[in-house]
Amino acid sequence: RVKVVINEKEVLVPEGSTILEACRGIDVWIPALCYHPDLKPGSNCKICSVEVEGIENLVESCSTAIREGMIIRTQTEKIHAKREEILSTILENHPNDCLTCMKASGDCELQNLCYVMDVTREDHSFQNKIVETYIDQSSDAIVRDMNKCILCERCIQMCEEVQGIGVYTLTEQDGRKLIVTKDGKPLSETNCINCGQCVKVCPVGALHEKSAIHDAYKALRDSRKHVVVQVAPAIKNTLGEEFGLAPGTDVTGKVVAALKRLGADKVFNTDFSADVTIMEEGTELLHRLEEGKNLPLLTSCSPGWVKFVEHNFPQLLPNVSSCKSPQQMFGALAKSYYAEITGINPQDIISISIMPCTAKKFEARRPEMEVNGLRDVDIVLTTRELAKLLKLQQVPFLQLKDEAFDEFLGTGTGAARIFAASGGVMEAALRTVAHILTNGEINTLDYHAVRGLEGTKEAELEIAGKKLKVAIVNGTMHAKNLFEKVVSGEAEYHFVEVMGCPGGCLGGGGAPIPDYKQTREQRKEGLYNSDSANTIRRSHENPDVQKLYDTYLTAPGSHKAHKLLHTHYTD
Ligand code: HC0
Ligand code: SF4
């Protein structure tokens, strides 16, 4: 630690940190528009500038290392003037359409700073220098409105350095800086995988998910339709954040109650179809191990990852599991199995899903994701969109009494819940596969070797005398590194779990903001606690899943299961 003086107070702060990190660590607030804890400092916005005694000019606190003996001031007149000047310049080039902006009031970092700094229209005669730029609505998941871009460049860094994709670049057009896609094409025609990580770091409303709020609102009020809603594993341990609860808090019962208040006819559980996925994918793994073909088996539930493999490793497509994701399996079962047992015309069912993921919007619209001409999933809302809808309709979320999921598609095991954490699908599969391979002798529940939010994990297990080499990756940058080795023959595995977002679904592009490494750790803890608290922790023990196979699908991998629950890929 080093001794420094911050705002006339002597303090000890960690050596090697930047001035900004050191100040935030002791709750001294410094504004920042380009700095983000998950990214490298970019020094683009300069609003984090502070005074350091002995240095004439202000210094950028995000990129200046703190040193023993420094005397730092964060709140002087000179600093205020600089911050005001920066905000005024940004506002001169920013549309004044906060009324219809998708970044809700309170979530916009620019708006919040203007409030705190008291930068108002009255104080500054803003000339509107805005040059209308094109709003890119081409993607099924992400909207880009570059009129609102403040050039912080977080999105460039996130996409390029964290996700390893590199869709965006900075350019200059007619003397004006602009962030564009690299080849100037609309987002849907680039190599974007719809992961939404850029959306999560955008400080303003320049990048946002394609809103389905209105569609959901309309559907939930339509009394002629039977509206079924599925809730993804991650939602139960993250939605609470939108209402002030700690990351990881289990709010399952309140989510069900809240969706009923919004008008859902039935509220179901994606955990149920995650358990079905284990039955189908586990069976697929056992077949491939037996035949020694198309190994490693690669998981297919993360649509960002699926698109990534289609773009970058088409030679690995035969390795990707043919299972649809739990979201799509659920939708297919809702309009077939559920419709049949309840006698509801599948044409009258609207299937809505609540997902921590922007790519799920894209996945739901993939042409092959339908059965008998009916879409598996009609509407996808992100965690943030559901929170907005609840706030909009003044649903008193925190006061709601817990309610249980509806019957038939409502039960989920602990194994399914941990799907939302990197390593969870692997662990869920191992719990069931080990049980099957040893005829019920191995009943291990906790596979600690596959847990944790590191980008890449590996484990070698021995089950029933068979060696099983597995790997788990999250974030497509890590996937790229691992699969380069797989393709070159440098690494060999039997089974690899891949999630497109850092940390897995708990860090999805539709998750609550802020979303930092530490937030994700807390979410992970919450998910594993919910798993331990569940009385059923292995997918094959899910009674609703057993009923589904006994009465409808007959067996995992059956003809009917294939028709409804499996898919194919395109390169
Ligand atoms: Fe996930 Fe899923 S676990 S992708 O991370 O497999 O989005 O939460 O819903 O589909 O179940 C997201 C989360 C899901 C799916 C499940 C899987
Ligand atoms: Fe890059 Fe993901 Fe944003 Fe697409 S959604 S531009 S892949 S960060």
Side-chain angles (χ1 to χ4, degrees):
R1 297 192 149 244
V2 291
K3 199 190 282 175
V4 294
V5 176
I6 297 176
N7 296 339
E8 321 308 330
K9 227 167 105 186
E10 209 173 83
V11 284
L12 284 170
V13 294
E15 195 175 357
S17 53
T18 61
I19 296 178
L20 186 134
E21 286 160 352
C23 286
R24 289 200 174 178
I26 55 167
D27 291 330
V28 170
W29 178 77
I30 294 178
L33 285 169
C34 70
Y35 168 83
H36 187 283
D38 287 350
L39 304 172
K40 285 196 293 237
S43 296
N44 297 319
C45 74
K46 315 223 183 294
I47 205 158
C48 69
S49 300
V50 296
E51 270 186 55
V52 176
E53 209 164 278
I55 301 178
E56 198 189 324
N57 293 331
L58 295 179
V59 304
E60 287 146 31
S61 65
C62 71
S63 54
T64 309
I66 205 152
R67 285 191 310 276
E68 176 80 27
M70 265 186 174
I71 300 174
I72 298 155
R73 292 186 184 88
T74 67
Q75 296 284 358
T76 65
E77 282 305 312
K78 192 171 164 186
I79 297 169
H80 281 289
K82 172 84 174 172
R83 290 177 186 168
E84 247 182 67
E85 181 197 317
I86 293 170
L87 287 176
S88 301
T89 313
I90 294 175
L91 287 187
E92 275 176 24
N93 294 289
H94 200 81
N96 291 314
D97 75 342
C98 299
L99 205 59
T100 53
C101 183
M102 274 297 290
K103 198 83 170 178
S105 185
D107 292 340
C108 175
E109 295 182 41
L110 176 63
Q111 190 185 52
N112 291 349
L113 269 185
C114 289
Y115 284 151
V116 174
M117 297 303 302
D118 201 23
V119 175
T120 63
R121 247 158 118 64
E122 288 78 44
D123 298 344
H124 304 269
S125 51
F126 298 131
Q127 315 134 26
N128 211 332
K129 283 198 226 148
I130 299 160
V131 188
E132 273 296 316
T133 52
Y134 155 69
I135 301 177
D136 185 353
Q137 305 254 21
S138 65
S139 156
D140 284 327
I142 316 283
V143 178
R144 295 175 67 236
D145 179 355
M146 287 303 104
N147 295 306
K148 292 180 182 160
C149 175
I150 62 167
L151 300 169
C152 70
E153 298 182 36
R154 285 181 187 172
C155 56
I156 298 182
Q157 208 190 119
M158 174 54 83
C159 189
E160 176 107 33
E161 290 173 30
V162 178
Q163 289 296 66
I165 295 168
V167 170
Y168 305 126
T169 188
L170 186 70
T171 188
E172 217 170 298
Q173 280 175 12
D174 308 323
R176 181 174 176 244
K177 282 187 176 171
L178 207 61
I179 292 175
V180 292
T181 59
K182 272 191 185 152
D183 44 13
K185 286 198 177 137
L187 200 56
S188 62
E189 292 171 34
T190 67
N191 53 350
C192 171
I193 59 161
N194 307 299
C195 70
Q197 293 302 312
C198 56
V199 169
K200 245 177 11 182
V201 294
C202 179
V204 293
L207 293 169
H208 58 83
E209 63 264 65
K210 190 163 256 182
S211 175
I213 293 180
H214 177 69
D215 291 345
Y217 170 78
K218 240 175 46 192
L220 286 160
R221 290 159 57 97
D222 189 343
S223 55
R224 292 160 307 174
K225 293 287 180 188
H226 184 76
V227 182
V228 301
V229 184
Q230 58 165 313
V231 184
I235 309 302
K236 294 128 184 165
N237 296 79
T238 57
L239 183 65
E241 289 168 46
E242 293 280 352
F243 299 89
L245 298 177
T249 310
D250 193 331
V251 289
T252 309
K254 294 196 194 308
V255 181
V256 178
L259 286 163
K260 286 278 167 76
R261 290 274 190 115
L262 290 181
D265 291 299
K266 297 285 174 187
V267 181
F268 292 128
N269 201 346
T270 312
D271 300 24
F272 158 79
S273 48
D275 284 325
V276 177
T277 302
I278 291 299
M279 302 306 291
E280 295 295 322
E281 205 165 282
T283 307
E284 203 178 5
L285 176 64
L286 291 170
H287 277 154
R288 291 203 197 179
L289 287 173
E290 233 165 69
E291 293 178 350
K293 255 172 72 184
N294 292 336
L295 291 170
L297 172 68
L298 312 179
T299 58
S300 57
C301 37
S302 164
W305 149 245
V306 168
K307 194 152 195 271
F308 183 84
V309 82
E310 287 176 331
H311 289 167
N312 301 290
F313 292 96
Q315 68 272 47
L316 289 175
L317 286 174
N319 294 58
V320 179
S321 161
S322 65
C323 289
K324 285 183 182 173
S325 75
Q327 162 174 276
Q328 299 304 133
M329 284 196 185
F330 176 90
L333 289 171
K335 292 188 183 180
S336 56
Y337 170 64
Y338 171 74
E340 253 177 57
I341 40 181
T342 51
I344 297 169
N345 181 350
Q347 311 254 19
D348 291 334
I349 295 178
I350 297 184
S351 147
I352 300 182
S353 68
I354 316 293
M355 294 283 142
C357 176
T358 45
K360 289 279 171 198
K361 289 177 186 270
F362 167 82
E363 181 183 50
R365 293 180 70 94
R366 288 183 71 122
E368 64 277 16
M369 293 296 172
E370 62 176 32
V371 181
N372 300 333
L374 290 177
R375 304 302 304 161
D376 295 340
V377 174
D378 299 296
I379 298 168
V380 180
L381 287 178
T382 62
T383 323
R384 296 191 296 270
E385 287 178 293
L386 174 61
K388 267 191 199 147
L389 195 52
L390 292 170
K391 288 173 189 170
L392 194 78
Q393 304 221 35
Q394 302 186 345
V395 175
F397 185 76
L398 295 176
Q399 275 98 58
L400 294 176
K401 271 225 185 77
D402 287 0
E403 284 181 40
F405 284 111
D406 285 297
E407 66 171 340
F408 303 125
L409 317 171
T411 311
T413 68
R417 181 68 68 87
I418 57 173
F419 263 54
S422 171
V425 178
M426 178 64 68
E427 182 163 348
L430 290 173
R431 288 180 192 177
T432 288
V433 166
H435 178 86
I436 296 172
L437 279 175
T438 62
N439 292 322
E441 264 173 47
I442 292 189
N443 285 304
T444 311
L445 286 172
D446 298 309
Y447 289 85
H448 292 284
V450 301
R451 294 186 187 177
L453 300 187
E454 311 80 291
T456 309
K457 287 164 288 183
E458 276 188 358
E460 207 170 309
L461 303 128
E462 204 176 306
I463 302 170
K466 286 197 175 75
K467 274 212 165 51
L468 195 64
K469 202 164 173 218
V470 302
I472 298 113
V473 275
N474 63 76
T476 39
M477 172 70 106
H478 296 288
K480 185 156 117 190
N481 294 338
L482 186 102
F483 288 108
E484 272 164 9
K485 287 193 206 149
V486 168
V487 168
S488 73
E490 201 185 315
E492 261 185 50
Y493 306 100
H494 297 106
F495 188 26
V496 184
E497 176 205 294
V498 194
M499 287 292 173
C501 293
C505 284
L506 56 80
I513 299 170
D515 177 335
Y516 308 134
K517 219 166 154 217
Q518 204 205 329
T519 333
R520 297 196 285 273
E521 280 293 337
Q522 284 175 274
R523 291 173 184 164
K524 182 199 81 181
E525 288 304 311
L527 285 159
Y528 284 102
N529 288 341
S530 299
D531 166 33
S532 308
N534 200 319
T535 48
I536 314 173
R537 295 183 62 200
R538 289 182 304 177
S539 299
H540 58 275
E541 290 169 350
N542 182 328
D544 278 352
V545 172
Q546 290 170 346
K547 200 186 296 168
L548 168 74
Y549 282 105
D550 289 349
T551 64
Y552 193 70
L553 295 176
T554 61
S558 68
H559 180 69
K560 203 164 185 178
H562 264 275
K563 181 166 181 252
L564 292 168
L565 310 178
H566 290 253
T567 184
H568 58 271
Y569 307 101
T570 42
D571 52 17

